[in-house]
Amino acid sequence: MTEQFDIPSASNNVPEFTVSEISGAIRRTLEGTFSRVRVRGEITELKRYPSGHVYFSLKDERGKISGVVWRGSVSRLGLAPENGVEIIATGKISAYGERSSYQLVVERMEYAGEGALLARIERLRIRLAEEGLFDTARKKAIPLLPRVIGVVTSPQGAVLHDICTTLQRRFPRPVIVWPVPVQGEGAAARIAAAIDGFSQLDGQGAVPRPDVLIVARGGGSLEDLMAFNDEAVVRAAAACTIPLISAVGHETDTTLIDFASDRRAPTPTAAAEMAVPVRTELLADIEHRNARALGALSRLLQTARLRLDRASSAMPDLPSLLQTARMQLDDRGRRLDVALPALVQRRKADLVAVERHMPAVETLLAGRRTRLAVLENMLQANMAHTFQRQDAQLGRLRISPAPLQALVRERRTALAGIAGQLEAVSPRAVLARGYALVTAEGRPVTSAGQLRDGERVELTFGDGARPAVIGDGTHQPKQGVLEL
């Protein structure tokens, strides 16, 4: 017979817990063991919820952990989380019992070393450069002498003091300061707002509009200068309508605002030197230019005066030329007054002489008629002789004299027409109409003022000439002499 014993089960010795107890224990263990930690990793799976909470994951080559930023901590993070950025998150490990998961509750973030910062800055620089924000064509010229200068910087520190001291030393100008934090939480937004605020001034209100704007801060680490690598600040600088000079950090520091600004200064002091010239140097330059202008003007006047003197000495004496021209004109006038009547008298005498030697029209016509009659008789005789000879040769053949007689009549008519034209232009035809030609000493008299009382003249009529004496009837003319 076999004896049976009750052996207790192994599970009876294992303590029993509820799910909530296990979750609570794990949470207490995690929070107690990892009260506050710093975790380095790359942000991925970033999500922003309408509630304001931010969920993401941090990963490295071997693992991944979930993270959350509660709404109240977002504004105090120190940077804007982005996918692909390597950061160091500061917070505590906590468990979420409903999902049996753990997560990192983040209270602050910072970039994981300069390498991560530089990579992020380079990616942003390439993207903004592709948009054209850094093009040279967008750059505006800095005015030579601005009336008002605007400064965006921290009111504390030596930067503002250096800028004002430099401006006072070189060329005092009114300065308008827009105080902003230059690093830390919210610095980038304040700097961008200040640049936009200056750009929107129209100069009509109590605050004048600056002619040039300086954005400056002192030196610092790469993390300290990150506000000036912020995209909002860079875009505000590129969109600013006022010429902008960036002076961030030391000479070796370079930020993205330097690419978007119109001029980059290595230091805040150098920015003030770019903004205004040296007053004493400007006055000296003006004096030098004034002296050069006066010297050049004096030389021009002297050269012009010498040329005028040479031209004046080469010119003839105008009053003498005018006097000589007047004398020549008077002499020509007197000679013309004497020569013109004499010429007219000579032409009249030549005409009378020609007229006296001209044969009478009747004589010419009579001679032509006689010659025509002789020619007619000769023609008739020749015709008769020719007819007789042709009659003898041809017998009964006869030629009519009608064509020859018609030709004779035509020539006679043409001769009569020529005789009529000659008769019309003959001076004797004028005299035949009752006119008389008065001549004195062989020259025709055309004016009564040319004759004196008692002067002897000759009157030519159509049928002859008679002597006459000019008088008023008080003396006795000679026999055969007419008294006019």
Side-chain angles (χ1 to χ4, degrees):
M1 179 176 176
T2 302
E3 186 177 358
Q4 295 183 353
F5 297 94
D6 292 332
I7 302 174
S9 174
S11 59
N12 294 331
N13 298 325
V14 177
E16 182 178 319
F17 299 96
T18 64
V19 173
S20 299
E21 291 173 343
I22 292 294
S23 297
I26 294 174
R27 179 175 181 180
R28 287 190 298 270
T29 301
L30 289 175
E31 292 180 353
T33 305
F34 304 96
S35 59
R36 188 172 183 84
V37 294
R38 287 166 54 88
V39 182
R40 180 169 182 164
E42 180 183 340
I43 297 178
T44 183
E45 301 175 2
L46 179 69
K47 295 179 181 179
R48 299 177 185 272
Y49 284 83
S51 60
H53 306 318
V54 178
Y55 294 90
F56 62 95
S57 297
L58 286 179
K59 70 175 184 176
D60 57 13
E61 294 83 357
R62 297 181 180 180
K64 182 169 67 173
I65 184 173
S66 299
V68 62
V69 181
W70 303 126
R71 179 178 58 186
S73 301
V74 171
S75 61
R76 300 190 299 272
L77 278 180
L79 57 84
E82 296 178 11
N83 283 324
V85 178
E86 186 177 4
I87 65 168
I88 297 176
T90 302
K92 60 182 180 179
I93 301 295
S94 180
Y96 187 45
E98 293 183 4
R99 296 183 182 177
S100 298
S101 62
Y102 67 94
Q103 61 187 1
L104 175 65
V105 179
V106 179
E107 299 174 356
R108 184 170 180 79
M109 291 182 181
E110 58 186 272
Y111 294 102
E114 291 190 359
L117 292 178
L118 292 175
R120 178 179 179 275
I121 293 171
E122 182 62 18
R123 288 195 297 270
L124 180 59
R125 187 193 66 81
I126 294 174
R127 179 161 59 85
L128 296 180
E130 292 176 351
E131 295 182 16
L133 264 66
F134 304 153
D135 292 346
T136 306
R138 297 171 59 94
K139 308 295 184 181
K140 296 177 287 296
I142 305 299
L144 175 63
L145 186 60
R147 294 172 297 176
V148 179
I149 299 175
V151 178
V152 177
T153 189
S154 172
Q156 292 82 24
V159 172
L160 183 58
H161 178 266
D162 292 343
I163 292 176
C164 294
T165 302
T166 304
L167 294 176
Q168 188 68 25
R169 172 174 50 85
R170 291 174 64 86
F171 204 120
R173 296 280 88 185
V175 177
I176 301 177
V177 180
W178 194 307
V180 295
V182 293
Q183 70 182 58
E185 190 69 30
R190 296 279 299 277
I191 295 171
I195 296 174
D196 291 336
F198 270 127
S199 182
Q200 294 174 7
L201 290 175
D202 56 4
Q204 303 298 324
V207 180
R209 177 182 172 88
D211 297 318
V212 66
L213 187 61
I214 299 176
V215 179
R217 73 147 286 161
S221 64
L222 182 59
E223 290 81 0
D224 295 337
L225 303 179
M226 282 303 296
F228 298 91
N229 290 314
D230 188 83
E231 182 176 356
V233 174
V234 177
R235 291 188 180 277
C240 183
T241 57
I242 302 173
L244 188 145
I245 302 174
S246 64
V248 178
H250 297 299
E251 186 171 357
T252 57
D253 296 326
T254 301
T255 57
L256 293 184
I257 193 175
D258 296 333
F259 296 97
S261 62
D262 299 303
R263 291 285 298 275
R264 176 187 180 272
T267 61
T269 301
E273 293 175 352
M274 288 182 183
V276 294
V278 180
R279 187 174 185 274
T280 55
E281 294 179 0
L282 189 61
L283 291 175
D285 183 65
I286 293 175
E287 291 293 336
H288 176 65
R289 292 176 182 271
N290 183 45
R292 291 181 57 187
L294 291 177
L297 182 59
S298 177
R299 288 192 296 273
L300 286 175
L301 291 176
Q302 185 177 2
T303 302
R305 188 177 293 108
L306 291 175
R307 293 178 59 185
L308 181 61
D309 293 340
R310 286 197 296 268
S312 177
S313 61
M315 289 180 62
D317 188 4
L318 293 180
S320 300
L321 288 177
L322 292 176
Q323 186 66 25
T324 303
R326 289 193 186 96
M327 294 175 61
Q328 291 179 352
L329 182 61
D330 294 341
D331 180 62
R332 298 294 190 278
R334 287 191 297 270
R335 293 174 60 183
L336 185 61
D337 292 341
V338 175
L340 187 58
L343 178 62
V344 173
Q345 293 297 331
R346 286 197 302 272
R347 293 291 184 268
K348 288 182 179 179
D350 294 342
L351 182 61
V352 171
V354 171
E355 184 181 6
R356 289 179 177 177
H357 292 86
M358 289 181 60
V361 178
E362 293 81 359
T363 304
L364 291 175
L365 293 177
R368 294 297 179 91
R369 290 192 183 98
T370 302
R371 185 177 178 183
L372 182 62
V374 171
L375 292 175
E376 185 178 4
N377 293 332
M378 292 175 62
L379 180 61
Q380 290 178 358
N382 290 333
M383 290 175 59
H385 179 67
T386 302
F387 291 156
Q388 291 176 4
R389 186 171 62 185
Q390 290 178 351
D391 288 342
Q393 294 177 355
L394 301 177
R396 293 180 299 175
L397 182 60
R398 293 291 183 271
I399 298 177
S400 175
L404 295 176
Q405 293 176 357
L407 179 60
V408 171
R409 288 194 299 272
E410 181 182 353
R411 295 296 178 83
R412 185 174 295 162
T413 302
L415 181 61
I418 294 173
Q421 295 178 4
L422 186 61
E423 182 69 25
V425 300
S426 175
R428 295 186 180 277
V430 178
L431 298 177
R433 292 200 297 270
Y435 295 94
L437 175 63
V438 181
T439 58
E441 298 179 356
R443 297 193 300 272
V445 178
T446 59
S447 174
Q450 296 179 357
L451 301 176
R452 301 184 303 274
D453 291 343
E455 184 176 358
R456 300 180 66 83
V457 297
E458 184 178 24
L459 303 179
T460 302
F461 299 95
D463 56 352
R466 293 290 302 276
V469 177
I470 301 301
D472 54 1
T474 57
H475 64 281
Q476 264 320 34
K478 294 182 182 181
Q479 186 175 1
V481 178
L482 297 176
E483 181 177 3
L484 299 178

